Amino acid sequence: MALHRAALAAEFEDMAAADHRLAAKGYSDVPAERLAWRRLTARHGDRLGAIMDEHGRPTADQVGEEAARAAWLIAQHADHLLDVQRRALRLLEQAVEAGLASPRDPAFLRDRTLVNEGRKQIYGTHIAGVQDGSPVPWPCEDPARMDALRAEVGIEPFAVHVARHAPA
């Protein structure tokens, strides 16, 4: 079983590395690059779905912290596989309830899923665009409480996040 877990962890880490290499292509002006990103995230999302069918959501105690984080990233980027995102979210929320995961990760995945459903997000973790030179979050259910809700799950205030990622 340990060998199987090690192989699964290595697979997740390899998928995350490929994700990082191609992520910027998802926003490329070149259609073939956007398509390559979409195919990669679909392939990874399909694989995550199959792994969840067999093993449930991979937690840090099962596959290690890095691989569990990679599984979260794969779910996060499976934008065209809402069923996989929803199932990963449910399993991740169960892991939080069991004390096996941080509430931060499901907050990001919940917002991502809501945005992909065309609904308002909760934590303001996803950017809709730039207005007057400043990033603007996708519409939120309660914008006045956004930073308080972020703090409850261990996410920095929106302004701090934006300042850290602003172009120099």
Side-chain angles (χ1 to χ4, degrees), residues 147-166:
D147 278 337
L149 294 169
R150 289 169 72 98
E152 287 176 13
V153 295
I155 301 172
E156 64 195 357
F158 184 75
V160 171
H161 174 76
V162 168
R164 193 180 51 193
H165 293 290

Side-chain angles (χ1 to χ4, degrees), residues 2 19 31 36 47 61 80 104 122 136 148:
D19 184 286
R47 180 64 182 131
D61 66 320
H80 300 287
R104 182 182 188 281
I122 297 168
V136 176

Side-chain angles (χ1 to χ4, degrees), residues 24-158:
K25 293 183 188 287
Y27 302 101
S28 172
D29 291 334
V30 179
E33 290 181 353
R34 286 194 313 273
L35 182 58
W37 167 251
R38 185 178 245 185
R39 285 180 177 156
L40 177 82
T41 58
R43 187 171 60 251
H44 287 174
D46 285 342
R47 180 64 182 131
L48 176 61
I51 291 168
M52 289 188 301
D53 287 344
E54 188 175 341
H55 303 284
R57 188 206 177 270
T59 58
D61 66 320
Q62 295 171 325
V63 294
E65 195 68 43
E66 188 175 338
R69 184 80 176 155
W72 168 83
L73 178 72
I74 292 159
Q76 186 79 356
H77 289 169
D79 291 328
H80 300 287
L81 299 169
L82 272 170
D83 59 325
V84 170
Q85 282 187 329
R86 289 179 186 123
R87 190 160 38 127
L89 177 60
R90 278 193 310 275
L91 292 171
L92 188 51
E93 288 172 337
Q94 291 170 0
V96 169
E97 288 174 18
L100 299 172
S102 161
R104 182 182 188 281
D105 290 345
F108 276 87
L109 188 53
R110 173 164 301 289
D111 273 0
R112 186 77 168 231
T113 303
L114 289 168
V115 167
N116 286 334
E117 293 171 342
R119 297 166 49 195
K120 292 180 178 180
Q121 63 180 329
I122 297 168
Y123 303 97
T125 60
H126 296 283
I127 304 298
V130 176
Q131 184 176 14
D132 299 325
S134 297
V136 176
W138 191 267
C140 294
E141 287 183 5
D142 190 352
R145 287 189 17 91
M146 181 177 68
D147 278 337
L149 294 169
R150 289 169 72 98
E152 287 176 13
V153 295
I155 301 172
E156 64 195 357
F158 184 75

